[in-house]
Amino acid sequence: MSDSSPARPAVRRRAATRERLLDAAREVLAREGIQGASVEHICDQAGFTRGAFYSNFVSKDDLVLALFDQERERMFTALRAAADPASYEGLDVVEAFGVMIDRFLLMQPQDREWFLVNAEFQLRGVRDDAVGRAFVEAWRQVRADFEDFMSTVLQTLRLRLTVSVSHAATILMGTYESALREALIEDRPIDLGLLKGTLPLLLLTVTEPAV
């Protein structure tokens, strides 16, 4: 089928409509929560009818999971790029850890809106309904990919962890999330410079040369 086919503009319009609905859902979910947000509110935010919504999503839950999948794919793409061993050539351990942390921070959303939406996802996971279980499974995959990324970098640097890779990931991700939460509560930008100085040192304390 050629690019001039009448079907091409329709496919592009559908993709644009879906993207606009996802963007609108991000705003509405951050403002109202998953329970409070309605299809009507999301459609109003996007400027579309319910018909446009149901042409792209089966339900609100379907849209919620699509929103998380979109963010997960963005993070996977960042991790795949960050795991390139060429990024660490010629660097000492602390410098290499600095590059790794820089990539980690670039992968993390730093806005209030996404923090609130992600908190909503976590609440659904705790409540253990169908959407919550899907979120938990997706989050486990995010964690597994991040742990693989850490292992690849450490292997390249001829280092090994003195704790489990899961615990090391928790140290990094938990420190970042705590710093972001405090920054949002205090209505200030997150101090990325402090994290770039602190997180490599934290990681260094739980590694040793591989034999």
Side-chain angles (χ1 to χ4, degrees):
M1 187 181 293
S2 70
D3 286 341
S4 60
S5 166
R8 293 290 181 181
V11 169
R12 285 195 293 268
R13 281 196 301 272
R14 182 182 177 86
T17 298
R18 181 181 176 87
E19 190 69 22
R20 202 155 130 196
L21 285 164
L22 287 169
D23 288 344
R26 199 179 197 266
E27 294 183 43
V28 174
L29 292 178
R31 187 171 64 240
E32 303 177 12
I34 293 176
Q35 289 297 109
S38 66
V39 170
E40 288 79 5
H41 289 174
I42 294 169
C43 290
D44 287 345
Q45 183 73 36
F48 290 130
T49 63
R50 286 170 61 92
F53 180 94
Y54 287 111
S55 292
N56 288 275
F57 301 101
V58 174
S59 64
K60 184 179 75 174
D61 283 351
D62 183 36
L63 178 144
V64 167
L65 290 174
L67 185 62
F68 182 76
D69 284 343
Q70 181 186 66
E71 187 63 25
R72 182 182 62 169
E73 183 53 38
R74 186 191 68 78
M75 293 181 358
F76 285 170
T77 300
L79 282 176
R80 285 191 289 267
D84 182 2
S87 302
Y88 312 96
E89 261 182 41
L91 300 179
D92 65 29
V93 171
V94 175
E95 290 172 331
F97 279 178
V99 172
M100 176 180 173
I101 295 304
D102 196 46
R103 300 289 180 84
F104 167 74
L105 293 174
L106 285 174
M107 158 183 121
Q108 304 300 315
Q110 294 163 17
D111 59 292
R112 180 177 182 276
E113 192 174 85
W114 182 251
F115 182 88
L116 291 169
V117 171
N118 194 56
E120 288 289 325
F121 286 142
Q122 293 180 37
L123 285 172
R124 288 294 287 267
V126 172
R127 290 187 178 119
D128 196 35
D129 57 13
V131 171
R133 286 190 290 275
F135 165 74
V136 168
E137 185 57 38
W139 179 244
R140 283 177 180 151
Q141 188 58 53
V142 170
R143 278 291 300 254
D145 272 35
F146 182 66
E147 289 168 12
D148 286 345
F149 161 64
M150 287 183 61
S151 298
T152 298
V153 173
L154 293 172
Q155 185 176 15
T156 300
L157 296 172
R158 296 183 176 85
L159 294 171
R160 68 182 181 188
L161 289 164
T162 57
V163 298
S164 72
V165 67
S166 177
H167 286 166
T170 297
I171 290 170
L172 294 183
M173 299 177 87
T175 302
Y176 170 81
E177 288 174 5
S178 177
L180 177 58
R181 182 168 53 250
E182 287 180 13
L184 293 173
I185 289 172
E186 295 172 7
D187 195 25
R188 58 173 173 79
I190 186 171
D191 191 342
L192 294 179
L194 179 63
L195 288 173
K196 287 177 184 179
T198 302
L199 292 179
L201 295 178
L202 285 175
L203 193 54
L204 195 60
T205 64
V206 293
T207 58
E208 64 184 11
V211 293

